[in-house]
Amino acid sequence: MSYILRRLGTMIITTALSVVMIFFVFRVIPGDPAIIILGTEADEAQIAALRSQLGTDRPVLEQFVTWASSTLRGDLGISLRFNRPVAEMITSRLRVTAPLAIYAITLVVLVSIPLGVALALIRTKTVNLAFSYLSQLGMAVPSFWIALLLMSIFGVGLRWFPLGETVDWERDVAGSLRALTLPAVAIALPAIAIVTRYVRSGLVDQLSQNYMRTALSKGLSFYRAVYGHALRNALMPVTTVLGILFADIVAGTVVVEQVFALPGIGLLLVTAVNYRDFPLVQGIALYIALVVVVLNFVVDLLYRVIDPRVRLHKPA
Amino acid sequence: MMRLPPPVSTRKPSVTTWGLVGLIVGATLLSLLYTPYAPNAVDVPSRLQPPSLAHLAGTDEFGRDIFSRLMAGGRISLAVGFGAMAISLLAGALIGALAGYFGGWIDDVLMRLMDALMALPGIVIALLIVAISGVGFTNTALALGVMGIPVIARVTRGAFLVGREMEYVLAAHALGASPWRIIIAHILPNQVTTILVAASINLAGAILGEAGLSYLGLGTQPPDPSWGRMLKEAQSFIGVAWWYAFAPGLTITLAVFAFYLLANELQRLAQPVSLL
């Protein structure tokens, strides 16, 4: 219990620091938001008006307190461009981004674990070398290029998947999944390259452990020894990697949503940056940071469930 | 009889790795002196031509030679990448060295800050910075540089945690060397390869990041070609000219791949000869 409380404490500190950082990034970096939004030719009165709307004419500390207290209450401010509450805009875009991210993570887990196991069991020189190059190539491929290629082959060429449309979940679940397939594959691919590496090397380590010899010598079949003993231990570090991957997946959605013109949070963020819509940019960044931190916390707890040996003072 | 790994000096450098890095950097440098066509030369009659002997990677919608533009695009993509790496390396190594050497509350404070920075995906940090400081060469490099700081800081901290326990550090301390001297003259040179490996991975990430930002229209601005920018421009022609989007994407992949391989190579060359 005290472990969970401590982790909760660290999580809150990390979140608080992210909040402070996101706020001060907007103050530290040179440039007056009001002038950036209106352009250098705007007249003084307009600039002053926008400054007071943004609150940037007040002392920094006062701005921070105002902003932080409303943020804590879930009020992320009003978008300058769309004149709507930022929190509400983010929530409405979640309908696209959340399924997309979950779809991508599911693909990563479903593909990398069997693939990693297979590669750990078949370790010939050629396979090892080919995998080492292929996985590095997989990490090097830009997800938006994969997205463009998938789009031109399966969308434009073969017409297997619909392009540029999002289907309502309530009306057609299969159709929604189909529409999200190409983007999810594009986001998942680089992550698959990374996770497969971890599964493979984790399992290779476990296969040479003494308990494997014991399991085999007491007559357990190789298959049961691998799946019942080695794999379970090998997946421990993978859990941690999955936690880090959430950030990658979110980053992937930002660019890939642009390729497929999917109206998710990523597309909203890019729009917000293009319009210099500071409250919106700030709100989305904050939201993403929160999601990543909370998911990492959940992964940490999961880790504890899978492996009761893990204690705060002797992490595996 | 146990076989010992060969000493560092006789290990063969990897032909693939150095060849690929040489090709990418070489072609980019060569573009300063020579490109098959002028990168921005418009030639409307030969627009959107598929790859041929005259145009190795085909032409774009203005009839510009894609191969020449890729060569020239490397200047910006690599310059932004190296610039970003320099920023990540300087700031990250400093933070990591202080945290790892001094430990205690300095370590706690600095590393919690890095954790907070890591909670934001790199591209989001970069977009935040671009939103405030605007688009352009310097801002892109700055944005991508900040994005890479936490990883370098962590790696450097780890290297310094190992390094500060060494006996020569104790000896230097006993001789009255100042912390700065110990950090810079004693620990850093001995841990430099670990940091360089991280820097090479960081460079690969920065090239990928520049491509991403430029693809979003928030990095390199026209008419300068950069690999990501070219992909953005190619998107409208994806149904009619497959080669247009293919060549820049492949170039980005190979460049990033090259620096990942370089990281492996550095790691391999740096491994000390073990007697076990």
Side-chain angles (χ1 to χ4, degrees), chain B residues 79-98:
Chain B
V80 169
F82 275 102
M85 183 192 75
I87 294 169
S88 313
L89 196 57
L90 283 178
L94 181 67
I95 293 172
L98 292 178

Side-chain angles (χ1 to χ4, degrees), chain A residues 198-220:
Chain A
Y198 276 90
V199 175
R200 179 185 172 277
S201 66
L203 192 55
V204 168
D205 277 352
Q206 296 299 326
L207 287 178
S208 60
Q209 297 286 321
N210 286 336
Y211 71 78
M212 274 300 284
R213 199 171 49 202
T214 311
L216 290 176
S217 59
K218 75 174 188 187
L220 212 59

Side-chain angles (χ1 to χ4, degrees), chain B:
Chain B
M1 182 66 202
M2 214 180 296
R3 287 254 305 266
L4 296 180
V8 172
S9 57
T10 65
R11 285 192 193 160
K12 273 193 230 142
S14 152
V15 180
T16 327
T17 305
W18 293 104
L20 205 53
V21 171
L23 183 74
I24 301 280
V25 177
T28 303
L29 290 179
L30 180 65
S31 80
L32 294 167
L33 302 171
Y34 167 80
T35 49
Y37 297 83
N40 286 328
V42 175
D43 178 13
V44 181
S46 54
R47 63 193 292 269
L48 291 177
Q49 280 183 5
S52 62
L53 280 179
H55 297 282
L56 287 175
T59 60
D60 68 7
E61 77 271 32
F62 300 112
R64 296 176 297 191
D65 181 52
I66 293 177
F67 190 78
S68 306
R69 286 177 70 71
L70 286 175
M71 284 175 73
R75 289 179 221 158
I76 291 178
S77 298
L78 291 186
V80 169
F82 275 102
M85 183 192 75
I87 294 169
S88 313
L89 196 57
L90 283 178
L94 181 67
I95 293 172
L98 292 178
Y101 182 77
F102 289 108
W105 66 269
I106 298 181
D107 183 25
D108 281 340
V109 170
L110 290 176
M111 283 303 120
R112 285 296 85 72
L113 271 175
M114 293 298 108
D115 283 350
L117 200 55
M118 266 193 164
L120 277 173
I123 191 99
V124 176
I125 299 175
L127 284 175
L128 263 177
I129 294 175
V130 170
I132 304 152
S133 53
V135 291
F137 178 86
T138 325
N139 291 336
T140 311
L142 178 75
L144 296 169
V146 172
M147 167 182 130
I149 293 176
V151 175
I152 301 270
R154 269 173 180 267
V155 172
T156 311
R157 172 180 177 269
F160 269 73
L161 283 180
V162 176
R164 75 169 180 190
E165 301 301 330
M166 297 290 173
E167 275 168 2
Y168 55 76
V169 172
L170 190 65
H173 188 66
L175 287 170
S178 69
W180 278 116
R181 196 181 158 77
I182 294 178
I183 288 175
I184 292 169
H186 296 278
I187 304 180
L188 190 63
N190 283 293
Q191 303 294 336
V192 78
T193 33
T194 314
I195 300 169
L196 282 182
V197 170
S200 187
I201 295 174
N202 176 275
L203 176 59
I207 294 173
L208 207 51
E210 192 277 336
L213 279 183
S214 296
Y215 173 76
L216 294 175
L218 296 165
T220 308
Q221 297 302 305
D224 291 334
S226 94
W227 298 330
R229 181 88 215 160
M230 290 173 73
L231 261 182
K232 179 188 173 63
E233 288 160 3
Q235 187 168 1
S236 329
F237 300 94
I238 194 158
V240 279
W242 60 268
W243 59 88
Y244 192 177
F246 187 78
L250 187 67
T251 312
I252 297 167
T253 308
L254 286 180
V256 176
F257 184 50
F259 289 108
Y260 277 145
L261 288 181
L262 185 65
N264 282 356
E265 179 80 353
L266 291 174
Q267 180 112 56
R268 196 175 62 93
L269 292 178
Q271 255 162 24
V273 178
S274 151
L275 291 178
L276 294 168

Side-chain angles (χ1 to χ4, degrees), chain A:
Chain A
M1 198 58 210
S2 74
Y3 169 80
I4 298 177
L5 285 179
R6 273 198 203 202
R7 284 291 307 144
L8 201 63
T10 334
M11 183 184 88
I12 291 170
I13 292 173
T14 312
T15 317
L17 279 174
S18 307
V19 171
V20 175
M21 219 146 53
I22 290 169
F23 176 83
F24 281 100
V25 148
F26 279 84
R27 310 292 177 254
V28 169
I29 290 178
D32 182 342
I35 294 178
I36 293 171
I37 294 165
L38 295 172
T40 37
E41 291 92 44
D43 66 67
E44 273 304 315
Q46 264 182 310
I47 291 176
L50 187 60
R51 269 192 200 128
S52 83
Q53 192 197 334
L54 289 169
T56 49
D57 53 348
R58 280 170 292 159
V60 174
L61 214 61
E62 188 192 325
Q63 287 179 47
F64 178 69
V65 172
T66 323
W67 182 71
S69 71
S70 56
T71 301
L72 279 177
R73 278 178 277 120
D75 172 14
L76 295 174
I78 306 285
S79 156
L80 293 176
R81 169 82 195 179
F82 302 98
N83 216 0
R84 285 176 53 199
V86 170
E88 187 192 303
M89 293 182 73
I90 294 176
T91 326
S92 72
R93 296 298 185 109
L94 261 183
R95 296 172 58 83
V96 174
T97 303
L100 180 58
I102 294 170
Y103 196 171
I105 291 175
T106 313
L107 282 178
V108 173
V109 172
L110 287 185
V111 176
S112 6
I113 294 180
L115 192 60
V117 171
L119 288 164
L121 297 180
I122 318 163
R123 288 200 313 278
T124 64
K125 211 173 172 185
T126 337
V127 172
N128 283 352
L129 195 69
F131 171 69
S132 142
Y133 277 114
L134 272 178
S135 72
Q136 300 236 2
L137 255 182
M139 286 160 64
V141 176
S143 56
F144 49 97
W145 184 50
I146 294 284
L148 278 174
L149 291 183
L150 290 174
M151 196 160 106
S152 68
I153 298 170
F154 297 106
V156 180
L158 298 171
R159 298 186 174 280
W160 287 357
F161 295 95
L163 292 178
E165 52 181 278
T166 43
V167 189
D168 231 356
W169 283 96
E170 280 88 49
R171 247 187 286 148
D172 183 4
V173 173
S176 315
L177 276 179
R178 232 163 95 105
L180 288 181
T181 300
L182 292 183
V185 170
I187 296 169
L189 217 62
I192 287 174
I194 300 171
V195 179
T196 307
R197 274 175 92 93
Y198 276 90
V199 175
R200 179 185 172 277
S201 66
L203 192 55
V204 168
D205 277 352
Q206 296 299 326
L207 287 178
S208 60
Q209 297 286 321
N210 286 336
Y211 71 78
M212 274 300 284
R213 199 171 49 202
T214 311
L216 290 176
S217 59
K218 75 174 188 187
L220 212 59
S221 75
F222 183 68
Y223 179 86
R224 296 240 353 230
V226 168
Y227 285 88
H229 295 280
L231 187 59
R232 194 176 160 144
N233 282 311
L235 288 185
M236 298 304 307
V238 177
T239 327
T240 323
V241 177
L242 277 178
I244 299 165
L245 273 180
F246 288 132
D248 277 10
I249 300 271
V250 172
T253 62
V254 172
V255 194
V256 170
E257 279 177 9
Q258 180 84 14
V259 180
F260 289 94
L262 291 173
I265 291 181
L267 200 63
L268 186 66
L269 176 60
V270 175
T271 315
V273 171
N274 268 317
Y275 287 129
R276 305 276 180 270
D277 191 336
F278 292 104
L280 193 53
V281 175
Q282 224 168 18
I284 297 174
L286 196 71
Y287 180 79
I288 291 177
L290 195 68
V291 170
V292 171
V293 172
V294 169
L295 283 177
N296 270 309
F297 176 64
V298 172
V299 165
D300 241 41
L301 292 188
L302 220 71
Y303 202 92
R304 208 178 144 81
V305 173
I306 304 174
D307 186 357
R309 285 173 308 182
V310 179
R311 295 283 178 273
L312 187 60
H313 295 294
K314 45 166 194 176

